[in-house]
Amino acid sequence: MANTFADRIVEFNRNLHYTGELPEGFQVMNPYLDNPETLQVMEQFYRKYYNDSEPRRFIVGINPSRHGAGVTGVPFTDTKRLEEVCGIRMTSAHTHEVSSVFMYEMIREYGGAGKFYRQFYINSPFPLAIVRQTKEGKWLNANYYDDPALFRMTENFMIDSLKKHIGLGLDTSEVFILGKKNADYIEKLNRKAKLFGRLTVLEHPRYIQQYKSKDQRSYIDKYILTLERS
């Protein structure tokens, strides 16, 4: 029986798979099936930071990137941050992900990984990486809302996933949504399924790193002020 927060998260991830339809040109990447080491490091991470039964606040991303949680199984955590900050080494892959850079700088300023993860849990409505094929045949990161058909086909799966996240032991009175467009779609899901109370929107780390990197300090301050007043 899954008693701790860590037990419940590990069980959720071990049973995570998407069997629904996808539009042509889209694929889902499941690191828990593709790489046995992902299961190992994911479990080490959650046993380290969530090995209790305390409730957490929910920070909601979009869906994992293929260089972040699409490899490590830990949201907004590439292999570099996983090793350097969390002390968990992954030998089968080496990744750098821009959103992870911002998130872990913010976590450091917040008081460190131990303090942050005692209070917050991060995941996404679609908790697996999505990739889209270009006309040239390359596969790039995609968001669940990039295509109307993609959102329509994954909507029920996302509602079910969010309900399972909530069941881990999350405080749903206020959730923190990363990305304004993401927030628009989470609001649609929330109207339909009545999952959360107040939705508080923060700029997505990828947007900050790509377009507002000179203002990173002010965005870190905004994150911390928003999260601390919750």
Side-chain angles (χ1 to χ4, degrees):
M1 183 177 178
N3 293 318
T4 68
F5 208 115
D7 290 333
R8 294 189 287 270
I9 299 170
V10 171
E11 183 179 2
F12 172 82
N13 287 335
R14 284 186 176 276
N15 292 289
L16 183 59
H17 60 281
Y18 180 74
T19 57
E21 292 183 294
L22 292 169
E24 186 176 354
F26 287 92
Q27 286 187 7
V28 169
M29 296 172 59
N30 189 333
Y32 307 114
L33 298 178
D34 298 338
N35 186 351
E37 193 182 15
T38 299
L39 279 172
Q40 297 171 15
V41 299
M42 174 275 293
E43 184 165 353
Q44 288 179 55
F45 174 87
Y46 287 112
R47 299 283 179 213
K48 181 172 184 176
Y49 294 110
Y50 291 82
N51 203 31
D52 57 63
S53 297
E54 297 302 313
R56 264 79 168 180
R57 290 295 185 94
F58 196 10
I59 298 175
V60 185
I62 302 171
N63 45 264
S65 80
R66 56 193 176 134
H67 298 303
V71 172
T72 64
V74 180
F76 290 98
T77 306
D78 58 17
T79 62
K80 186 175 182 180
R81 256 51 57 174
L82 186 69
E83 181 171 0
E84 292 183 356
V85 181
C86 304
I88 300 170
R89 188 178 180 212
M90 191 168 188
T91 61
S92 61
H94 302 279
T95 60
H96 174 92
E97 208 275 323
V98 294
S99 294
S100 186
V101 176
F102 174 86
M103 189 62 76
Y104 274 87
E105 182 62 24
M106 184 276 294
I107 287 172
R108 185 182 70 82
E109 293 285 336
Y110 188 84
K115 177 182 177 181
F116 181 83
Y117 289 123
R118 278 196 301 272
Q119 298 176 21
F120 297 99
Y121 170 76
I122 309 174
N123 218 302
S124 304
F126 197 94
L128 295 169
I130 303 173
V131 291
R132 182 176 193 169
Q133 191 173 33
T134 67
K135 292 179 180 178
E136 295 74 30
K138 295 180 180 180
W139 290 96
L140 302 176
N141 286 326
N143 300 318
Y144 72 82
Y145 53 65
D146 283 348
D147 183 284
L150 178 63
F151 177 73
R152 186 174 65 253
M153 291 176 180
T154 59
E155 182 177 8
N156 289 335
F157 175 81
M158 289 192 288
I159 289 174
D160 183 61
S161 291
L162 289 170
K163 287 180 178 178
K164 288 177 179 177
H165 287 314
I166 291 169
L168 297 173
L170 296 177
D171 179 346
T172 59
S173 60
E174 179 182 16
V175 294
F176 305 92
I177 313 295
L178 304 185
K180 294 178 180 178
K181 190 170 183 180
N182 186 33
D184 291 339
Y185 284 86
I186 297 297
E187 188 175 5
K188 291 180 183 179
L189 297 178
N190 197 40
R191 284 200 303 267
K192 184 173 182 178
K194 296 180 172 53
L195 303 165
F196 309 116
R198 185 166 73 218
L199 307 183
T200 298
V201 185
L202 290 161
E203 289 78 4
H204 196 280
R206 184 173 62 244
Y207 166 80
I208 296 168
Q209 290 299 104
Q210 288 184 345
Y211 302 109
K212 301 288 185 179
S213 59
K214 292 182 180 179
D215 301 318
Q216 185 194 71
R217 177 74 259 171
S218 64
Y219 283 105
I220 288 174
D221 290 343
K222 180 179 179 180
Y223 262 65
I224 291 174
L225 286 170
T226 301
L227 297 174
E228 283 186 336
R229 74 164 186 256
S230 65

